[in-house]
Every structure is written in structure tokens, then in C-alpha cells.
Amino acid sequence: MQIENNRLVGADNQPVRFVAAAHSGSAIVPRYIVMHYTAGGAAAGTVRYFASPGARASAHFVVSRQGAIVQQVACDRAAWHAGRSRWRGIDGLNAHSIGVELANWGLLQRGPDGFVSHAGVAVDRGRVAIAAHRNGPAEALAWERFAPVQVEAAAELVAALMARYGLGEEAIIGHDDIAPGRKIDPGPAFDMRAFRGLAAGRGTSSPPDCPADKDSYRQVRAANGLNLRSGPGLQHPVIGLLSQGSLVRVVSEAAPWAFVTRVKEGCDGVSGFAHSAWLTAPA
Ligand SMILES: [Zn+2]
């Protein structure tokens, strides 16, 4: 992929589908790339909304769960994606950034039969991540995961933007970075560290730079594995299985339940609640 004449050109050398947004602003020189989730269902719905006269927002790109990209605002024009925002001394990021929307429900609610979106749409447990948002609150909440094919397509798009505008991976930021307290997207289910590595062409083999808070590490001692649950109690659904010997970090504990995240390459991975009787100090 590459950017030509402010349009994204795909691997087939054709510009990707362009559906003009109802709103775009004055000329910009992109210095940042702001990642968002749509808090919606299919990407097509968001694309239609941004194109509709009544829309109150827009973005340059919308990436579907299947990895299809639609462009809605030319890269040299402002889109209405950031709102009231501030980053590194710059106010109003719309005038300085490209907005990339990923189709994703975002924050989920716990329904009687599992997890549902704010619109009441059921989300399969395999697509749910339990994690606390770094901007708070401290409690673990449920979020829709991003499909690898979607993340890869977004990374290719962002790599093309970085190449065209001479940006480094530090230019990739989240809406929750620039509008903390007001915005929570793309949220904890979006692995920003891994995404920056992917967009910068480092793949997943990048050296991890995550805090090594080794005192809170525990090892799973359960021959058949240990259930990871969405809440502290047997009544909460199982969202994963921690294998015997795997390493976790205890984020918080209210005996006998510990909120843990799996330690992967020294960094936090999937998280949830586990019974602490099967967690011991690492060997
Ligand atoms: Zn956003």
C-alpha cells in the first residue's frame, strides 16, 4: 500500500474505495496518526454514517473487521475524528493528524448469557478481552478483541502513511492518549506496542520494553490448567485456560480470586480472574 495524491493505493495499484465524508476541514500536514474504534457493528454502517448529512464526525479511513479499508477524507484535509484533544503541547489534533477507525464494539456489557455490545448485540466469548483501561477505572472491564487480519490491514495502512509523511512509530497514538477522561478508544484490547512494531516493520520479534514487576509474578500449578474467568467467582464465564507452568502477573487480589494477566515475552497478555490457590511463586 502507498499514498498517492492523498489517496491510499492498494497492493493491486488501485486506489481503495473512497466514500466522501459529509464533513472535512481545511488543509493539514499530518504529524500524527490517531487510532480509534467505531463502537459499532459492521464497518459499512460507520462509512454510511460519516457520509450522511447528519453526521457529527468523520475519519480519513475505516477498517473493517475483515481488513477491508475505505477512505472517506483526503489525507491533506482535516477530518472530524479527534474533537477536543491535546498532545505534546498541540491543541486540537484534527488539524494535525490522520484518523483511522477500526470497526469494533469497544466496551462491552455483561448480559445474562455472556457479553453484549451497547447495542445489545451478543459478542462471542472468544472475542472478548477482560482488561482494565490504563486511564481508569481500576476495575477490569470487557472489550471486543481486534481480529489479527484487521490489525494487519491497519498496520499496512499506517506504514504507508508513515512512509509518505516521514513519521516514526511514536506518531501513532490513541484517541484515549489525546483525550483522556473523555475518550476510551481504542482501549486496552488494542495492543499499541505490538501495533507500532507491526507498522514500523519490526513484526512481533521486537525486543519487549515492558515493566518487569517480577514480585507480582506467579506460576500456574494445575496439571489440567487453570480457568481464566471474566469475574471473581465460579458464576462468571470461563474466557480462557492458563496452562500448567504458565507465568502470570497479579494485578490485584481479593482472596481467593486474583485478577491476573498472562506474562508473554515479559509483557502483559490476556487477562482475567483466576483462583489463587493454584498460583505459586515462580520456580
Ligand atoms: Zn475515537
Side-chain angles (χ1 to χ4, degrees):
M1 289 185 200
Q2 53 188 322
I3 306 294
E4 283 175 22
N5 300 321
N6 301 301
R7 297 286 177 94
L8 177 66
V9 174
D12 57 357
N13 268 332
Q14 298 298 315
V16 302
R17 196 156 79 88
F18 190 93
V19 180
H23 301 294
S24 60
S26 49
I28 64 164
V29 176
R31 293 175 59 188
Y32 293 101
I33 300 161
V34 181
M35 305 304 297
H36 303 261
Y37 63 58
T38 59
T46 300
V47 169
R48 265 197 310 275
Y49 171 72
F50 286 162
S52 67
R56 288 160 57 189
S58 62
H60 295 85
F61 297 99
V62 179
V63 184
S64 80
R65 287 174 177 80
Q66 294 75 33
I69 302 175
V70 173
Q71 185 168 1
Q72 301 207 254
V73 175
C75 292
D76 65 343
R77 295 277 145 190
W80 295 10
H81 63 98
R84 193 157 34 83
S85 50
R86 183 177 176 83
W87 187 248
R88 304 256 191 272
I90 295 176
D91 280 308
L93 271 288
N94 279 345
H96 306 277
S97 66
I98 299 285
V100 177
E101 292 274 359
L102 306 177
N104 182 283
W105 285 117
L107 188 59
L108 304 173
Q109 294 154 13
R110 204 161 287 170
D113 303 311
F115 295 96
V116 293
S117 75
H118 64 84
V121 176
V123 175
D124 189 82
R125 273 168 202 163
R127 284 172 43 215
V128 176
I130 307 291
H133 197 292
R134 66 183 186 289
N135 296 346
E139 64 185 302
L141 302 169
W143 310 79
E144 184 186 353
R145 290 183 189 281
F146 296 85
V149 66
Q150 181 183 30
V151 173
E152 282 158 24
E156 280 188 48
L157 157 64
V158 168
L161 292 167
M162 289 162 68
R164 170 63 183 80
Y165 298 105
L167 304 174
E169 62 187 272
E170 70 288 344
I172 310 169
I173 51 181
H175 203 183
D176 45 11
D177 289 319
I178 62 173
R182 193 174 70 81
K183 290 291 174 181
I184 57 172
D185 65 310
F190 186 77
D191 186 340
M192 184 59 90
R193 189 190 68 87
F195 184 75
R196 283 176 167 173
L198 212 53
R202 284 194 277 100
T204 49
S205 58
S206 61
D209 57 342
C210 23
D213 179 17
K214 297 270 167 63
D215 287 350
S216 60
Y217 282 14
R218 299 287 182 277
Q219 202 150 23
V220 174
R221 293 278 169 231
N224 297 322
L226 179 60
N227 280 332
L228 196 63
R229 294 178 180 275
S230 66
L234 294 172
Q235 73 275 23
H236 295 284
V238 174
I239 54 169
L241 187 72
L242 299 166
S243 55
Q244 161 84 306
S246 59
L247 209 56
V248 298
R249 185 170 71 82
V250 175
V251 178
S252 61
E253 194 166 3
W257 292 93
F259 177 57
V260 302
T261 75
R262 239 194 96 191
V263 175
K264 210 177 145 196
E265 295 170 1
C267 297
D268 286 354
V270 289
S271 52
F273 292 84
H275 200 290
S276 53
W278 284 270
L279 297 174
T280 61

